[in-house]
Amino acid sequence: MGLLKELERRDPVKIGEELHRFAAELYPICRSITGNGIRHTLAQIHKRIALQITEVPTGTEVFDWTVPREWNIREAYIKDVTGRRVVDFQHSNLHVLNYSTPVRAKLPLSELRKNLFTLPEHPDWVPYRTSYYKEAWGFCLSHNQMLALADGNYEVCIDSTLEDGHLTYGECYLPGRSVDEVLISTHACHPSLANDNLSGLTVATALAELLSGRDLRYSYRFLFIPGTIGAITWLARNHENVARIRHGLVLTGIGDPGGFHYKKSRRGNAEVDQAAAHVLAHQSESSEILEFSPYGYDERQYCSPGFDLPVGCLMRSVWGTFPEYHTSADNLDFIQPRQLAASLRICTALVDVIENNRRYKNLNPYCEPQLGKRNLYRSSGGDAIGEEINARFWVLNFSDGEHSLLDIAERSGLPFSTINEAAELLHQAGLLATFPDPSEGNVPKEESEEVESATGGIHRGRGARTRD
Amino acid sequence: MGLLKELERRDPVKIGEELHRFAAELYPICRSITGNGIRHTLAQIHKRIALQITEVPTGTEVFDWTVPREWNIREAYIKDVTGRRVVDFQHSNLHVLNYSTPVRAKLPLSELRKNLFTLPEHPDWVPYRTSYYKEAWGFCLSHNQMLALADGNYEVCIDSTLEDGHLTYGECYLPGRSVDEVLISTHACHPSLANDNLSGLTVATALAELLSGRDLRYSYRFLFIPGTIGAITWLARNHENVARIRHGLVLTGIGDPGGFHYKKSRRGNAEVDQAAAHVLAHQSESSEILEFSPYGYDERQYCSPGFDLPVGCLMRSVWGTFPEYHTSADNLDFIQPRQLAASLRICTALVDVIENNRRYKNLNPYCEPQLGKRNLYRSSGGDAIGEEINARFWVLNFSDGEHSLLDIAERSGLPFSTINEAAELLHQAGLLATFPDPSEGNVPKEESEEVESATGGIHRGRGARTRD
Amino acid sequence: MGLLKELERRDPVKIGEELHRFAAELYPICRSITGNGIRHTLAQIHKRIALQITEVPTGTEVFDWTVPREWNIREAYIKDVTGRRVVDFQHSNLHVLNYSTPVRAKLPLSELRKNLFTLPEHPDWVPYRTSYYKEAWGFCLSHNQMLALADGNYEVCIDSTLEDGHLTYGECYLPGRSVDEVLISTHACHPSLANDNLSGLTVATALAELLSGRDLRYSYRFLFIPGTIGAITWLARNHENVARIRHGLVLTGIGDPGGFHYKKSRRGNAEVDQAAAHVLAHQSESSEILEFSPYGYDERQYCSPGFDLPVGCLMRSVWGTFPEYHTSADNLDFIQPRQLAASLRICTALVDVIENNRRYKNLNPYCEPQLGKRNLYRSSGGDAIGEEINARFWVLNFSDGEHSLLDIAERSGLPFSTINEAAELLHQAGLLATFPDPSEGNVPKEESEEVESATGGIHRGRGARTRD
């Protein structure tokens, strides 16, 4: 259980501040599902963890979809008759309908209004809107801004390009003792929205940093990808490899002040589902477990029926249920250092469970072994036994090959860490044998190194350009 | 989903009034488990729907039972010493113990009282009592009527006959694309009791009218039979055919003002159980799902362990739980047009689910298909999706061969109709394939036409006389 | 259902008083896991029921454990400087740390204190403490007693022996029609503690008395054994025979005023678990069903994963949850005659269920049989049926080979006795056939008589000395 213990030795205030500082660094970048915004973002992440970048050309067919043209933008504004910029992309990249086609025009307010998006119920907030797959242009602004627009002609400029290029994603692969993988996926396509999803990007990056260079049971793959089309593209390019994914987690919206929500995988009884429920039940913030539903984040793709991967989704407040969702109010004040640090803690605890969850075999299955003669029991009888000793009885009784440590933790109501420590003690005392770990038979092969390598120069494969 | 939509295009007030009018027409008839009362009743039903009448002779052995002698009655009264009829069958057929043997006698009040049945706790109501299998005679009257009887001799007359004859039942068979059947069974043996069971008779008749002449997936068989002995007789005569019954419903007591109760089949997880629970959960009246129990209506026979058919029972108030049950207070005021119409609506919704519930196969199981390019998605991103689009994701994700549309409706919490419409749209868009419907392989054979025919003259088979 | 009915014909006040009188008789004896205390206790039980005594020598290896040296004690005290005994074993055998090594010494209060045990939170109570497997000596006394000790030297004497000898247990075997067994196990090692476990000893003895000499379906084995090491020793010596145990119950702490608690077997769905839950649900005291946990009484050994026997544990208050637990306040006032009698009643009801629970086969599975012609139904129809008739329908409908009478009782909500009586009536009427009872094929063999005999002289086997 080294990971969580190690994390807990560090100052959580500093961890939170560092996560928030990184979010602040990424905040101004105008990201979209393609283009230089996401490239710039991945470059910043790459300064912290080894990241392999893949560029997939426009027009590439990925299942039922096609990689779109690449979108980039330099500036955009609305000028009134006096030449004053009444709406300016420089102030907030939310002001432009994401994926707007270029436009330069003069038009009266009555015409302009058809291309303006506002939130009347939150008149000071700017909405976030996109039009990835239907050509359109538009501006998002606060409702009060719009009301203040005088009649007359306006000059609009969106200096964007929508041209053949690439879709870009980043991958951080940390090889473990087994090629069986844990997938951590987080979307990197939203512009200046803090909770959605700088929270996911920063926590995933910090988790990858924590895991880097360690002796791990599983291999870990962190994906920093554009939502939907990015996950679909990655799955199309890795169709044969997904069987390696033993556990997976979509990380998103984990910086806001709400309690935790874990949405189960489509399977509903995957080990990651059990582990997440356990970890959330044994921490202090409020939490809720949600059944799988097909709408949401990229678990939609990982859990499509053809893949049906064991991938859940960890959030704080659920998308769409809080007013700040997809508005300018999802800013850096909305994600607090304390909340980011606690989310990283949950992820770390979850990894600890997944790394340590296994089955043991009780070598003395007939009656209890005598713990006292091994100094694993109290010496004087008559009063109550403590949780540590109780955990030993639970592990001994249920180490029958049927029950994993997590099963035993659930059944006993004790934390996984207590059960795991009991198992390690009993194992050292020769009372338990380990079962062969099915994942550990899957050792890395030399020939598969290239694909999984997180080092090396630019890779090209199946029409895509990959560099680290 | 044509049936319910079509019903909803009609004026529910008129539907209710028409159902109540038919109940009023049948109300005065003195029905019993055999005799002219039930024959007359079936004749009235036959004016509305094609009905095949079967007459089974007295003495026919039907499993552990024997078809009893036929009972008919012309009149019955109790006269006091002045010759005044103090109890008269002409006022209410409930006044005679149903199946009373004939009697003509003079006897003092003290003797007469042994053959009188009253309800002291409802002193103005007349109870309904029967003695089918033990020879007896008796009168039912209000407790106040009895208290008013002066001492002295009384003349009693029950001008009934209990003689060899027939047991009569009616059957309306509507052939569908498959010979697999939906059975709707309702008892037709109770005299002037409105909820029990003119409500069942009129709603079943109206449902059969609604289904007549349509292109149906299943064949539908409506049984109008005497309770217990009728169901046993029908099962004995159709033992080999019951395997065709894929879904079944006993309809009874569905006119009173109480909320709905659906009693599950013995199997407990039949498709009709699931469908009924869904339909009741998605309507506005209160409702409750009851576990199977072996006492009740004719589901007792359909769900006997040798048959164990997927037949549930739809009621409003459960028999025996309301004071009007089996008394003269179960009259035409107790069943309101609005309640009858709503019950017909529930039955229609249930048939719609059963007719349309099937499994589809997602032809793009790897990741989501791109709904936008098929005009099945909204064009601008960033705000919430509606229920229609959400239903499409549910259908796509779970159309894996394991889940029926009803399973998907249950899991999503969406109404079956919304899920079914989504599936039809996706099917039209080429995104779903249908699975072969197991019931549709069972096409009608020429040689089985005779038995199933709802047309033709008098049929004779196995000692029974059948006419339509 | 003869047992419970027979018990109920006796005066429950007298039953309770007799149980309490027996507890009072056993109360002063200084029991431990070995030694003359338990021998004396078994001798008293043997006056009431046939008991086979087994003596297992010190040093015998039993699974992971070794039978310890035998402990006996004559007297023990602490004398102050005036020669007054300030703590005296004669007043209460709880005053000596159970299994204390002999000691004779003079030592100052400051030294003495290291060997004193008190309960500061209950300053007038003496705690019960043991040191079976670590050599130690000590005294237990009330906290107020300790506070009253003046500074100065004290003379301590524990006149005990800890020498090679035997571990002693008693077994009462009541042969039934089958060698399949019901195991009733109760620990006999605690000194003057009334609820823990004179309540178990007396109720088990009374139950064995009640069952003695009867025609029983199962054979019954009552174990009166030292806790933990006794159960382990018995299991080690009977390893091959435990497969005969079809149902088992640990009886302990069933005299206190708390409601009942039944802790399920490790299997969680054993017939004894189902039967205990049913019996507790159909009695008037509060009760709770607990999931299995590996810590507790001797079910720990019976339910160790290698054995995994269907053995539950019946208690009133759960060990450790009431303040009197393992203190001098667990005295004869704590166990009331009424409570002991009610506990015996529960055990008897449970035996009745286990003895009578079987599966029947409905010989008329198609439709209901006509109960009326067999006088198993009411004659006049129209009003409600009673529970007895309802029970007949339940038994008929579910006697399909899948459901035991207990299953039917559970599903119907009716008491097992009502269901069983219905089944007996229907069986007599020729409507049900019995299935062969799997346990009844296992008839006793002549050659196995010796081991199971509860008669005869001293037996010697595998180094142990056995006498009855």
Side-chain angles (χ1 to χ4, degrees):
Chain A
M1 303 297 288
L3 285 168
L4 185 57
K5 280 202 175 148
E6 186 173 323
L7 190 73
E8 283 173 345
R9 275 196 292 270
R10 290 162 55 189
D11 179 354
V13 174
K14 284 194 182 155
I15 293 172
E17 286 169 353
E18 167 57 20
L19 285 162
H20 197 268
R21 199 153 37 232
F22 188 28
E25 190 183 307
L26 300 176
Y27 185 69
I29 303 171
C30 181
R31 279 165 292 271
S32 185
I33 54 170
T34 61
N36 292 324
I38 189 166
R39 276 194 200 92
H40 186 183
T41 301
L42 296 175
Q44 295 301 95
I45 294 170
H46 193 11
K47 290 180 184 166
R48 295 164 182 259
I49 55 173
L51 209 61
Q52 176 176 303
I53 307 296
T54 299
E55 301 271 1
V56 184
T58 296
T60 305
E61 305 230 326
V62 287
F63 295 120
D64 191 52
W65 301 62
T66 306
V67 172
R69 285 179 292 170
E70 182 176 326
W71 184 69
N72 284 292
I73 181 164
R74 270 169 302 271
E75 76 166 335
Y77 54 81
I78 303 174
K79 277 189 189 161
D80 66 13
V81 283
T82 72
R84 193 175 60 92
R85 295 192 176 193
V86 293
V87 174
D88 191 345
F89 173 71
Q90 301 306 329
H91 294 155
S92 166
N93 53 46
L94 296 182
H95 277 316
V96 172
L97 176 71
N98 204 291
Y99 249 68
S100 272
T101 49
V103 65
R104 278 186 192 275
K106 276 203 180 155
L107 68 182
L109 179 58
S110 59
E111 281 302 302
L112 175 60
R113 275 216 179 105
K114 297 174 184 166
N115 294 64
L116 300 184
F117 299 89
T118 72
L119 286 173
E121 65 275 29
H122 293 287
D124 290 324
W125 297 355
V126 180
Y128 162 59
R129 291 287 180 275
T130 67
S131 190
Y132 300 139
Y133 299 102
K134 184 183 173 191
E135 289 197 18
W137 67 267
F139 286 89
C140 301
L141 65 166
S142 78
H143 201 65
N144 285 337
Q145 268 181 301
M146 190 181 74
L147 294 178
L149 294 180
D151 276 342
N153 282 331
Y154 287 85
E155 179 189 340
V156 299
C157 161
I158 297 180
D159 183 9
S160 65
T161 54
L162 193 55
E163 295 169 346
D164 281 359
H166 292 83
L167 176 149
T168 314
Y169 63 78
E171 219 165 337
C172 170
Y173 181 78
L174 305 176
R177 297 193 296 280
S178 167
V179 297
D180 284 1
E181 285 183 16
V182 178
L183 178 76
I184 312 282
S185 178
T186 193
H187 64 275
C189 52
H190 284 33
S192 292
L193 297 170
N195 193 45
D196 184 9
N197 187 28
L198 299 180
S199 67
L201 293 179
T202 55
V203 169
T205 302
L207 185 64
E209 277 185 274
L210 190 66
L211 295 177
S212 294
R214 279 178 196 279
D215 176 34
L216 295 163
R217 174 185 183 183
Y218 292 107
S219 298
Y220 284 75
R221 186 178 303 275
F222 290 81
L223 294 186
F224 301 87
I225 51 172
T228 304
I229 185 65
I232 293 168
T233 301
W234 186 85
L235 283 163
R237 291 172 42 80
N238 293 276
H239 198 158
E240 321 84 79
N241 298 330
V242 297
R244 290 179 188 165
I245 296 171
R246 290 278 301 276
H247 317 285
L249 195 65
V250 169
L251 274 186
T252 174
I254 50 176
D256 70 88
F260 287 105
H261 290 83
Y262 175 78
K263 174 179 157 183
K264 289 200 234 174
S265 76
R266 184 179 186 273
R267 300 182 186 182
N269 62 354
E271 192 174 326
V272 68
D273 299 328
Q274 190 190 9
H278 182 84
V279 165
L280 290 178
H282 287 269
Q283 50 93 48
S284 58
E285 290 190 62
S286 78
S287 68
E288 198 178 343
I289 305 299
L290 308 173
E291 292 302 316
F292 176 74
S293 57
Y295 192 66
Y297 289 104
D298 286 331
E299 72 279 6
R300 292 159 62 169
Q301 314 309 330
Y302 303 124
C303 298
S304 55
F307 289 115
D308 197 19
L309 295 174
V311 176
C313 177
L314 183 69
M315 302 164 271
R316 282 178 172 273
S317 296
V318 175
W319 46 270
T321 63
F322 49 99
E324 295 86 353
Y325 176 71
H326 278 192
T327 76
S328 57
D330 179 4
N331 57 30
L332 289 168
D333 291 337
F334 188 53
I335 59 166
Q336 290 296 315
R338 190 177 45 77
Q339 294 144 18
L340 292 166
S343 295
L344 177 60
R345 196 187 169 283
I346 295 295
C347 294
T348 307
L350 183 59
V351 167
D352 254 352
V353 172
I354 285 172
E355 283 281 306
N356 289 284
N357 189 27
R358 57 182 70 234
R359 287 157 209 261
Y360 286 95
K361 188 176 172 57
N362 180 345
L363 296 172
N364 283 62
Y366 296 105
C367 299
E368 292 167 5
Q370 192 176 6
L371 296 184
K373 70 185 183 190
R374 296 172 178 91
N375 290 319
L376 295 171
Y377 200 60
R378 56 166 195 205
S379 53
S380 160
D383 49 2
I385 60 167
E387 193 169 85
E388 286 78 11
I389 292 178
N390 198 16
R392 291 169 203 158
F393 285 118
W394 276 102
V395 171
L396 285 167
N397 195 294
F398 287 97
S399 284
D400 55 1
E402 300 285 306
H403 297 84
S404 71
L405 292 184
L406 186 51
D407 293 335
I408 299 172
E410 290 293 282
R411 191 153 173 175
S412 68
L414 296 170
F416 182 83
S417 56
T418 306
I419 291 293
N420 189 48
E421 281 159 20
E424 286 176 354
L425 261 179
L426 294 166
H427 185 229
Q428 284 159 23
L431 291 169
L432 296 181
T434 51
F435 275 97
D437 178 359
S439 66
E440 294 187 354
N442 300 326
V443 292
K445 294 179 193 141
E446 287 308 306
E447 53 268 39
S448 61
E449 281 291 273
E450 189 215 16
V451 170
E452 286 140 12
S453 169
T455 64
I458 290 171
H459 296 248
R460 294 181 182 274
R462 280 177 289 176
R465 189 178 48 175
T466 304
R467 53 191 162 73
D468 75 302
Chain B
M1 301 298 286
L3 285 167
L4 185 57
K5 281 204 175 147
E6 185 172 324
L7 188 74
E8 283 173 344
R9 276 196 291 268
R10 290 163 54 190
D11 179 354
V13 174
K14 285 194 182 155
I15 293 172
E17 285 169 353
E18 166 56 21
L19 285 163
H20 198 268
R21 199 154 34 232
F22 188 30
E25 188 183 309
L26 300 175
Y27 185 70
I29 303 171
C30 182
R31 279 164 292 271
S32 186
I33 54 172
T34 61
N36 293 324
I38 189 167
R39 274 191 202 95
H40 185 184
T41 300
L42 295 175
Q44 296 300 95
I45 294 171
H46 193 11
K47 289 180 185 165
R48 295 163 181 258
I49 56 174
L51 208 62
Q52 176 175 304
I53 307 296
T54 299
E55 300 272 359
V56 184
T58 296
T60 305
E61 306 229 328
V62 288
F63 294 121
D64 191 50
W65 302 63
T66 307
V67 172
R69 285 178 292 169
E70 182 177 326
W71 185 69
N72 284 293
I73 182 164
R74 270 169 301 270
E75 76 167 335
Y77 56 80
I78 303 174
K79 277 189 187 161
D80 65 13
V81 282
T82 72
R84 194 174 58 91
R85 294 190 176 194
V86 293
V87 174
D88 192 346
F89 174 70
Q90 302 307 330
H91 294 154
S92 165
N93 54 45
L94 295 182
H95 277 317
V96 171
L97 176 71
N98 202 293
Y99 249 68
S100 271
T101 49
V103 64
R104 279 184 192 275
K106 276 202 177 154
L107 67 182
L109 179 59
S110 57
E111 281 303 300
L112 175 60
R113 274 214 178 106
K114 297 173 186 167
N115 294 63
L116 300 184
F117 299 90
T118 71
L119 285 172
E121 65 276 28
H122 293 288
D124 290 323
W125 297 355
V126 179
Y128 162 60
R129 291 287 181 276
T130 67
S131 190
Y132 300 137
Y133 299 102
K134 185 184 172 190
E135 289 196 17
W137 66 266
F139 287 89
C140 301
L141 65 167
S142 80
H143 201 62
N144 285 338
Q145 267 181 302
M146 190 180 74
L147 293 178
L149 295 181
D151 275 342
N153 282 331
Y154 287 86
E155 182 191 337
V156 300
C157 162
I158 297 180
D159 183 9
S160 66
T161 54
L162 193 56
E163 295 168 346
D164 281 359
H166 292 82
L167 177 149
T168 313
Y169 63 77
E171 220 165 336
C172 170
Y173 181 78
L174 305 176
R177 297 193 296 279
S178 167
V179 298
D180 284 1
E181 286 183 15
V182 178
L183 177 75
I184 312 281
S185 177
T186 192
H187 63 275
C189 52
H190 283 35
S192 292
L193 297 170
N195 193 45
D196 183 7
N197 188 28
L198 299 180
S199 68
L201 292 180
T202 55
V203 169
T205 302
L207 185 64
E209 276 186 275
L210 189 66
L211 295 178
S212 294
R214 282 180 193 277
D215 177 34
L216 296 163
R217 174 183 183 185
Y218 292 107
S219 298
Y220 284 75
R221 188 178 300 274
F222 290 80
L223 294 185
F224 300 87
I225 50 170
T228 304
I229 185 66
I232 293 168
T233 301
W234 186 85
L235 284 163
R237 291 173 42 80
N238 293 277
H239 199 157
E240 321 84 78
N241 299 329
V242 297
R244 293 179 187 165
I245 297 171
R246 288 277 302 275
H247 317 285
L249 195 65
V250 170
L251 274 187
T252 174
I254 50 176
D256 70 87
F260 287 105
H261 290 84
Y262 175 78
K263 175 180 157 183
K264 289 200 235 174
S265 75
R266 185 179 187 272
R267 300 183 187 182
N269 61 354
E271 192 174 327
V272 68
D273 299 329
Q274 191 190 10
H278 181 84
V279 164
L280 290 177
H282 287 268
Q283 50 92 48
S284 59
E285 291 191 62
S286 78
S287 67
E288 197 178 344
I289 304 299
L290 308 173
E291 292 302 315
F292 176 74
S293 57
Y295 193 65
Y297 288 105
D298 285 331
E299 72 279 5
R300 292 158 62 169
Q301 313 310 330
Y302 303 124
C303 298
S304 57
F307 288 115
D308 198 18
L309 296 173
V311 176
C313 177
L314 183 68
M315 302 164 271
R316 282 178 172 272
S317 295
V318 175
W319 47 268
T321 63
F322 50 99
E324 295 85 353
Y325 176 71
H326 278 192
T327 76
S328 56
D330 179 3
N331 57 30
L332 289 167
D333 291 338
F334 189 53
I335 58 166
Q336 290 296 317
R338 189 176 46 77
Q339 294 145 18
L340 293 166
S343 295
L344 177 60
R345 196 187 170 284
I346 294 296
C347 294
T348 307
L350 183 59
V351 167
D352 254 351
V353 172
I354 286 172
E355 283 281 306
N356 289 285
N357 189 27
R358 57 182 70 234
R359 285 156 210 262
Y360 286 94
K361 188 176 173 58
N362 180 343
L363 297 171
N364 283 61
Y366 296 105
C367 299
E368 292 168 4
Q370 193 176 4
L371 296 184
K373 70 184 184 191
R374 297 174 177 89
N375 291 319
L376 296 172
Y377 200 58
R378 54 162 196 211
S379 54
S380 160
D383 47 3
I385 60 167
E387 194 169 84
E388 287 78 10
I389 292 178
N390 198 16
R392 292 171 204 157
F393 285 118
W394 276 102
V395 171
L396 285 167
N397 195 294
F398 288 97
S399 284
D400 56 0
E402 299 286 306
H403 297 85
S404 70
L405 292 184
L406 186 52
D407 293 335
I408 299 171
E410 290 293 283
R411 193 154 170 173
S412 67
L414 296 171
F416 182 83
S417 55
T418 306
I419 290 294
N420 189 46
E421 281 159 20
E424 286 176 353
L425 261 178
L426 293 166
H427 185 230
Q428 284 159 21
L431 291 170
L432 297 181
T434 52
F435 274 97
D437 178 1
S439 67
E440 294 187 356
N442 301 325
V443 291
K445 292 178 194 142
E446 286 309 307
E447 54 267 41
S448 61
E449 282 292 273
E450 188 214 18
V451 169
E452 286 141 11
S453 169
T455 64
I458 290 171
H459 296 248
R460 295 181 182 276
R462 277 177 292 174
R465 189 178 47 175
T466 304
R467 57 193 158 72
D468 76 304
Chain C
M1 303 297 287
L3 285 167
L4 185 57
K5 281 203 174 148
E6 186 173 323
L7 190 74
E8 283 173 344
R9 276 196 290 270
R10 289 163 54 189
D11 179 354
V13 174
K14 284 191 182 158
I15 293 172
E17 285 169 355
E18 168 56 21
L19 286 162
H20 198 269
R21 198 153 38 231
F22 187 29
E25 190 184 307
L26 300 175
Y27 186 69
I29 303 172
C30 181
R31 279 165 292 270
S32 184
I33 54 171
T34 62
N36 293 324
I38 189 167
R39 276 192 199 94
H40 185 184
T41 300
L42 296 175
Q44 296 299 97
I45 294 171
H46 193 11
K47 289 180 184 168
R48 296 164 181 258
I49 56 174
L51 209 62
Q52 177 176 303
I53 307 296
T54 299
E55 300 272 0
V56 184
T58 298
T60 305
E61 305 230 326
V62 287
F63 295 119
D64 192 52
W65 300 63
T66 307
V67 172
R69 285 179 293 169
E70 182 177 325
W71 185 69
N72 284 291
I73 181 164
R74 270 169 303 271
E75 76 167 337
Y77 54 79
I78 304 175
K79 277 186 186 165
D80 66 12
V81 282
T82 72
R84 193 174 61 91
R85 294 191 175 193
V86 293
V87 174
D88 191 345
F89 172 72
Q90 302 306 328
H91 294 155
S92 165
N93 54 45
L94 296 181
H95 277 318
V96 172
L97 176 73
N98 204 293
Y99 250 69
S100 272
T101 49
V103 65
R104 277 181 192 277
K106 276 200 178 155
L107 67 183
L109 179 58
S110 57
E111 281 301 303
L112 175 60
R113 273 213 179 108
K114 297 174 186 167
N115 294 66
L116 300 184
F117 300 88
T118 71
L119 286 172
E121 66 276 28
H122 293 287
D124 291 323
W125 296 356
V126 179
Y128 162 60
R129 291 287 181 276
T130 67
S131 188
Y132 301 138
Y133 299 101
K134 185 184 172 192
E135 290 197 17
W137 66 266
F139 287 88
C140 301
L141 65 167
S142 78
H143 201 65
N144 285 337
Q145 266 180 304
M146 190 181 74
L147 294 177
L149 295 180
D151 275 343
N153 283 329
Y154 287 86
E155 180 190 339
V156 300
C157 162
I158 297 179
D159 182 9
S160 65
T161 55
L162 192 56
E163 295 169 345
D164 282 358
H166 293 82
L167 176 149
T168 313
Y169 63 77
E171 219 166 336
C172 170
Y173 181 77
L174 304 176
R177 297 193 297 279
S178 167
V179 297
D180 283 1
E181 285 183 17
V182 178
L183 178 76
I184 312 282
S185 177
T186 192
H187 64 275
C189 53
H190 283 34
S192 293
L193 297 170
N195 193 46
D196 184 9
N197 186 27
L198 299 179
S199 67
L201 292 179
T202 56
V203 170
T205 301
L207 185 64
E209 277 186 274
L210 189 66
L211 294 178
S212 293
R214 280 179 195 278
D215 178 34
L216 296 163
R217 174 185 183 184
Y218 292 107
S219 298
Y220 284 75
R221 188 179 302 275
F222 290 81
L223 293 186
F224 301 88
I225 51 171
T228 305
I229 185 67
I232 293 168
T233 300
W234 185 85
L235 283 163
R237 290 172 44 79
N238 293 277
H239 198 157
E240 321 85 80
N241 299 330
V242 298
R244 293 179 186 165
I245 297 172
R246 288 277 303 274
H247 318 285
L249 194 65
V250 170
L251 274 187
T252 175
I254 50 177
D256 70 86
F260 288 104
H261 290 83
Y262 175 77
K263 175 180 155 182
K264 288 200 234 174
S265 75
R266 186 180 186 273
R267 300 183 186 181
N269 61 354
E271 191 174 326
V272 68
D273 298 330
Q274 190 190 10
H278 181 85
V279 164
L280 290 177
H282 287 268
Q283 50 93 49
S284 59
E285 290 190 63
S286 77
S287 67
E288 198 178 344
I289 305 299
L290 308 172
E291 292 302 314
F292 177 74
S293 58
Y295 192 67
Y297 289 104
D298 285 331
E299 72 278 6
R300 293 159 61 168
Q301 313 309 329
Y302 304 124
C303 297
S304 56
F307 289 115
D308 197 17
L309 296 174
V311 176
C313 177
L314 183 68
M315 302 164 270
R316 282 177 171 273
S317 295
V318 175
W319 47 269
T321 63
F322 49 99
E324 295 86 354
Y325 177 72
H326 278 191
T327 76
S328 57
D330 180 5
N331 57 31
L332 289 168
D333 291 339
F334 189 52
I335 58 166
Q336 290 296 317
R338 189 176 46 75
Q339 294 146 17
L340 292 166
S343 295
L344 176 60
R345 197 188 168 285
I346 294 295
C347 294
T348 307
L350 183 60
V351 167
D352 254 351
V353 172
I354 285 171
E355 283 281 306
N356 289 284
N357 188 27
R358 57 182 70 234
R359 286 157 209 260
Y360 286 95
K361 186 176 174 57
N362 180 344
L363 297 171
N364 283 60
Y366 295 105
C367 299
E368 292 167 5
Q370 193 177 5
L371 296 184
K373 69 185 183 191
R374 296 172 178 90
N375 291 318
L376 294 172
Y377 200 59
R378 54 163 197 207
S379 53
S380 160
D383 48 2
I385 60 167
E387 194 170 84
E388 287 78 10
I389 292 177
N390 197 17
R392 292 171 205 157
F393 286 117
W394 277 102
V395 171
L396 285 167
N397 195 295
F398 287 98
S399 283
D400 55 1
E402 299 286 307
H403 297 85
S404 71
L405 293 184
L406 186 51
D407 293 335
I408 299 172
E410 291 292 283
R411 192 154 172 174
S412 68
L414 297 171
F416 181 83
S417 56
T418 306
I419 290 294
N420 189 47
E421 282 160 21
E424 287 176 355
L425 262 179
L426 294 166
H427 185 228
Q428 284 160 21
L431 291 168
L432 297 181
T434 52
F435 275 97
D437 178 0
S439 67
E440 293 187 356
N442 300 325
V443 292
K445 293 177 193 145
E446 287 308 305
E447 54 269 40
S448 61
E449 282 292 274
E450 190 215 18
V451 170
E452 287 141 11
S453 169
T455 63
I458 291 171
H459 297 249
R460 291 178 185 279
R462 280 178 290 174
R465 189 178 46 175
T466 304
R467 55 193 159 71
D468 76 304

